[in-house]
Amino acid sequence: MSILVKKGAFVIFFNRRGQDDKPEVVMLDTEVYACSSCNGWMRKEFASADLKCPLCGNDTNFEMRELPQIE
């Protein structure tokens, strides 16, 4: 270890203990409204009443996308 310190190197340790405990991501077909002019989109549950893009304010179109489930 002292040789590494003299050369200016450092040691990195990796911990894999928490990686197996992550829950599985469930992908679902989700209804979204996508903007016709930019990359903006929003889930149907969170859409505004006027169905305007939250980024640019233009009209949106109805689409289906495969997105992770929200808990």
Side-chain angles (χ1 to χ4, degrees):
M1 190 78 150
S2 62
I3 296 172
L4 294 176
V5 173
K6 289 179 184 177
K7 293 190 175 192
F10 53 93
V11 179
I12 299 174
F13 296 99
F14 294 99
N15 183 2
R16 295 180 178 228
R17 183 175 20 198
Q19 292 179 354
D20 296 335
D21 299 338
K22 293 181 183 176
E24 182 179 332
V25 176
V26 178
M27 301 297 282
L28 299 173
D29 286 333
T30 308
E31 299 171 339
V32 299
Y33 290 100
C35 183
S36 55
S37 63
C38 72
N39 288 336
W41 62 274
M42 55 191 159
R43 293 177 188 248
K44 183 178 178 181
E45 300 87 36
F46 304 110
S48 59
D50 60 357
L51 298 178
K52 297 289 183 182
C53 175
L55 301 176
C56 66
N58 288 335
D59 293 330
T60 56
N61 301 319
F62 181 79
E63 291 182 4
M64 293 292 288
R65 293 189 182 185
E66 190 173 358
L67 299 173
Q69 180 181 11
I70 296 178
E71 297 178 0

